[in-house]
Amino acid sequence: MFSHDPYAELATLRDFAPLTLTSTDISHDQPLPKAQWGAAGGGSDTSPQLSWSGAPEGTKSFALSCFDPDAPTGSGFWHWAVHDIPADVTSFPTGETPAGITLPNEMAIRGFIGAGPPPGTGVHRYFFVVDALDVEHLDLPENATPAILGFNRHFHSLARGILVPTATSD
């Protein structure tokens, strides 16, 4: 596992109010269940159940992502990214994606792709992040990447919730 926390670094640029992010499937600092692993790792690429609360006044939409900063790429690995989630959506069940616009992940799939840390790369962290945004729509281009979403949501975030489970390659 690398030593940096990309979301702690972002918080040094702006202060984000806290959102509470919970799940019935995954837990902070605990191993991901096999369902949230990719098929190559014995899983089923099943997105976890997520719920959030504490959105501040002025919230007009949400953005959601799952990012592995420990992937041996130099730029991490995006597993999931969804934006323009309506402000009245505060949870969704296991295996579903909330209403909104789902961007392609690193495998060019518009959906959730489970963990799959390569052999010999140790412990990976999976940052599930939900931001409350001050706009209904981010108006991103059709071919936007999760990194473009991250850049744009940074400037519209009112609050952020983070849940970080792990997976080990060895």
Side-chain angles (χ1 to χ4, degrees):
M1 171 171 34
F2 294 127
S3 60
H4 73 284
D5 175 341
Y7 291 93
E9 295 297 326
L10 287 172
T12 66
L13 300 175
R14 330 192 13 217
D15 191 24
F16 295 99
L19 274 178
T20 300
L21 179 59
T22 60
S23 176
T24 57
D25 296 324
I26 61 175
S27 298
H28 193 75
D29 285 333
Q30 296 299 309
L32 282 168
K34 278 297 180 180
Q36 279 72 53
W37 280 64
S44 57
D45 292 310
T46 302
S47 60
Q49 181 280 333
L50 293 172
S51 299
W52 54 92
S53 61
E57 188 174 325
T59 298
K60 296 182 179 175
S61 70
F62 294 99
L64 159 73
S65 60
C66 176
F67 178 66
D68 172 5
D70 303 310
T73 65
S75 61
F77 191 97
W78 292 97
H79 287 260
W80 201 15
V82 184
H83 66 94
D84 293 359
I85 301 168
D88 62 350
V89 173
T90 57
S91 68
F92 57 93
T94 303
E96 293 191 15
T97 294
I101 298 172
T102 303
L103 299 176
N105 57 36
E106 297 287 350
M107 301 302 291
I109 297 168
R110 289 181 184 269
F112 176 78
I113 185 167
T121 61
V123 177
H124 288 234
R125 298 163 295 160
Y126 296 83
F127 283 75
F128 286 84
V129 178
V130 174
D131 285 354
L133 306 178
D134 64 1
V135 294
E136 285 184 41
H137 305 286
L138 285 174
D139 297 322
L140 300 181
E142 176 70 25
N143 62 348
T145 64
I148 291 171
L149 169 60
F151 177 82
N152 283 274
R153 83 197 236 190
H154 176 81
F155 297 101
H156 291 283
S157 291
L158 300 170
R160 175 170 286 159
I162 301 174
L163 187 59
V164 188
T166 62
T168 304
S169 66
D170 304 320

